[in-house]
Structure formats: structure tokens, C-alpha cells
Amino acid sequence: MKTYINKLYLLCLTLFLFVMSACDNKDDSNLSLQGDTFINKIVLDDEYEGVIDNVNASIAVEVPFDYSTKSMTVSQLELSEGADATVKVGDKLNFSLPQSVRVSNGDAFFDYVINVKKHEAKISSLTLNSIFNGIIDEETATIKVYVTTDTNLSNIVVDYEVSAGTTVSIENNSVVDFTNNNVKITATYKTAVKEYTIQIEQTDLSVEPKAFVGIANTVSELNDETRAAAEWMLRNIPNTKYISLNEIKDGKVRLTDYKMIWCHWDWNGIGDWPSAAYDTKDKIREYWNAGGNIFASREAMRYVKTDMWGVSSMNAEPNNMWGENYGVTTLNYNLGFSINTYEEHEIYNEVQVDESNSDKIVYLRESGCTTTGRALQWGVDWKPYLSMAGWKLQTGATPLASGIGIYDVNRVCLAEYGSEPNGTVITFGASGYEWKDANVNNVYFQNMEKLTMNIINYLCK
């Protein structure tokens, strides 16, 4: 009986080890602990040898900046003894895209990704006098820098960051004379040479650090509406950076480094509100509590709720919203809002106002322009407010603009929140305040720009 139990035990143990071995082979079949499924050497077009990283399963190949990578020949390929690969010597591959290669040896295999990269000389960031950040346009090879009107252009310190291995014609942290403007600076990496032109513009706009906060990880990944706003800010507002909600959530950026942030979020970019930005609500609330200033437009203004950013003293989002389906239409009238009784606020400085009637209208889009018609505003005469006084009391906000006409005077579309030690928040949800195609056949685009610049300046004080 004891012998039988021992045999049964050994049989079960053998089966267990076999199953575990099978599981390990399945789970780790792309790992080669013995090095028998490795690429030891690979050369393309008889000249360009790959740098092999077995830890990250990647192979990097550098070629001249103007080299055609659409059809490159595998000239040499050395593998572990007894191994075979899905790519053979003599194969021609399109390396303008990453290529995958599997190396097999018996039941084991290992997957590599080959990336061919052209030499690149790139200035990734540039700062003048440790304050003024350059706006880099790679397409035109220009770096635009806004500086204050009192900046001494003959004595400016240039500081920059470049792509790995790149050298620059102007020494880092050196003093440069920008009196004649349009200073040339050349970046070089092996066969790649790129000349940038630094263009300085003196301005009265605030040079305090600012950020555009987006839902996507990069500007290029934003949807059309939000990307248009972000790109405008980065091009036109001094000392602006783009930061993502993920960077805020993961603690990769400190919001307190910025005097103000602009959140211009689009319904299509958020999806099922409020899930996309919910994870950052506490960090943005802490930023505001510490004195940080926020410009919240379109869907972002819904986050002023007590249980989100905690800005509004009442836990309610705007109660007069429409256009969430974003059907694009062509206007047969000018679209704007009324600043009657609010026109003295400094955010309206030099903004064009139609004073032909008592509404004192600021137009945003001209008849003939397209619009989605999305609007977010407050019906202050509705429950639970019942009056402007009731709305002010329950939200803690000050109205700065309303709809047009006798009825719409009770529809607040632009408002200000703020009390020490907290920061100031301006919310804007007027129909027509949208950036996609805002400058296309639109004489009122200058109002969009000037009003937004004024709001940003106001929040930077």
C-alpha cells in the first residue's frame, strides 16, 4: 500500500512538473535564457550595422538623413547556433516602418523589432535669459520667442536642449546679441545639418509660465477642436507649455510651476464625461487651493463643481447646455454674446464691441462660418437659483457676459470665481467660442484672439 502511494505521488509530481514546464514555455516562449535565439549581427545595404538590444528586443540602425529606407537589403545576418529567422540574407524590406523579426530554435523563439532611423539634428527646446521659452516650428525651422518690452536685446543668454549627439553653432549658455533679430543657429548630427532662425518679438503679454492642459499625451493626438486651441496658445502666448492629464496624474509635472493653466476640452475628446479627467480632479483642486489660476472653456467648465475641482460653492454644472451632438452648420447670422453692464472688465480691453444696441455684443463668428453650436451656460432664473442674486449666492461666481436679448440676459456664459487664498477661475461656454476653423472667412477671429489673450493675462497677475 505504501509503495502504491509513493508511486502515485511520483506520478502526480511528474504530471505537475510537466504542466508547469508547459506553462513556462507558453508564457516565456519569447525569452531565451540560453542565448540560442538571438541575432548576433545584422547589416543592411552592406554598410549600416544594427545596434542590438537583447533586453528590450530591439535593433536600431542609423542611416544618413536623406537616405531612402523604403527598400533596404539584409546584407549580413548572424544568429545563435542552430537558429533560424523569418528574415534571410538578401531579403529587401521597407524600413520606413518598423520591421518585426522572429528568431526560432526548436520550440523557443525571440521577437525583435528593427527600427531604421535617419540622422537627425534637432533643437528640442530653447530658452532665453532662463525665462523666455521658444516656440519651435520644425517645418519652417524657426524658433519664435516672446520677451518683455524692457528686455535688453544686445545681451541675451541662450540655453537649449538638443537630440542625442547633436552639436550647435552657438555654445550653450552663451551671450548673444539679438539687436538685429533673426539670429541663425545651426544644429549638426553626423550627416544631418539644420539651420534654425530665432525670431524675437517684444510684447506686453505676460511671460509668467503657463500651460495648456490636454486630455491626450501629445498635442498631435488631440481632436481637431482642442488641438486648434492648444496650437494657437503655443504659437502666440509667451512661456507656454503643453501638459497632459496623464502627466498630472502620474506626478510627472508640478502644476504649481505654472501661474495659470488653460483647459479647453471638447465633448468628443472627453467621451463619457467625466471619466477622462476624473483621476486628476484632486490635483487640480489642490493647484487652485494653492493659488493657481484656471481658464476653463467648453466642457472643462463643468469641472468647477464642488465634487470635482471644488471651485463652485454649489455642486452643479451649467444647467443650460446644448449642441452635444456637434452637428456642424453654416451660420446665417453673426454669433456672439452680450457684455452689457460688464464691459468695464479688463478682459474686454481692445476687444471689438458692437454698440449699435444696448446688448453691447462681442461677436465671435461671422455669418457664413461653420459652427457646432455647442454652448454651456447658466440659466440663473431657473431653479434652484431663481434670480441673478440667487445664482451669485449659491455658486460664488461673478457674471462677466450673457446671451443676447431680453430673454438671454439671464443666461450667463462667462463667469469668474475667486477668493483668497484660492486662485481665480474664469469659465467660458458661449456658443461660437470654438477654435477649429475659427480663422476661416471670419472677420471676428481677432475678437477670439484678443479676448483669450486678455483672459490669460488677467489670470497671470
Side-chain angles (χ1 to χ4, degrees), residues 155-175:
N155 188 27
I156 292 181
V157 178
V158 178
D159 179 27
Y160 53 78
E161 293 180 357
V162 296
S163 53
T166 299
T167 58
V168 179
S169 57
I170 295 176
E171 188 176 346
N172 213 350
N173 298 311
S174 60
V175 177

Side-chain angles (χ1 to χ4, degrees), residues 239-253:
N239 208 4
T240 295
K241 289 186 178 181
Y242 177 83
I243 59 178
S244 70
L245 289 174
N246 279 337
E247 287 176 307
I248 296 172
K249 181 184 68 175
D250 297 339
K252 294 181 178 178
V253 296

Side-chain angles (χ1 to χ4, degrees), residues 370-387:
T370 59
T371 179
T372 64
R374 178 60 170 159
L376 302 96
Q377 54 190 25
W378 300 93
V380 301
D381 55 341
W382 296 349
K383 291 182 179 180
Y385 315 113
L386 301 179
S387 67

Side-chain angles (χ1 to χ4, degrees), residues 213-217 222-223 226 242-250 263-284 299-300 302-303 308-309:
V213 177
I215 292 169
N217 290 329
L222 296 169
N223 68 15
T226 312
Y242 177 83
I243 59 178
S244 70
L245 289 174
N246 279 337
E247 287 176 307
I248 296 172
K249 181 184 68 175
D250 297 339
C263 303
H264 180 80
W265 297 339
D266 194 54
W267 181 278
N268 293 336
I270 288 182
D272 296 327
W273 185 89
S275 59
Y278 189 83
D279 290 341
T280 62
K281 64 181 179 63
D282 292 335
K283 289 184 181 292
I284 294 180
E299 305 303 323
R302 300 170 70 180
Y303 284 79
M308 294 295 177
W309 296 343

Side-chain angles (χ1 to χ4, degrees), residues 330-335 365-369 441-442 444:
T330 301
L331 290 168
N332 56 13
Y333 56 90
N334 297 334
L335 190 61
R365 292 179 102 78
E366 186 180 8
S367 177
C369 293
N441 302 320
N442 181 18
Y444 298 116

Side-chain angles (χ1 to χ4, degrees), residues 394-410:
Q394 295 188 57
T395 63
T398 301
L400 297 180
S402 67
I404 300 170
I406 297 174
Y407 173 76
D408 281 335
V409 72
N410 288 315

Side-chain angles (χ1 to χ4, degrees), residues 232 349-353 362-365 435 438-439 442-454:
W232 176 87
N349 290 346
E350 299 182 22
V351 173
Q352 180 183 349
V353 181
V362 174
Y363 287 115
L364 299 174
R365 292 179 102 78
W435 287 87
N439 60 340
N442 181 18
V443 69
Y444 298 116
F445 180 60
Q446 59 185 341
N447 271 353
M448 288 272 293
E449 290 191 299
K450 188 59 181 175
L451 178 61
T452 305
M453 286 179 175
N454 286 348

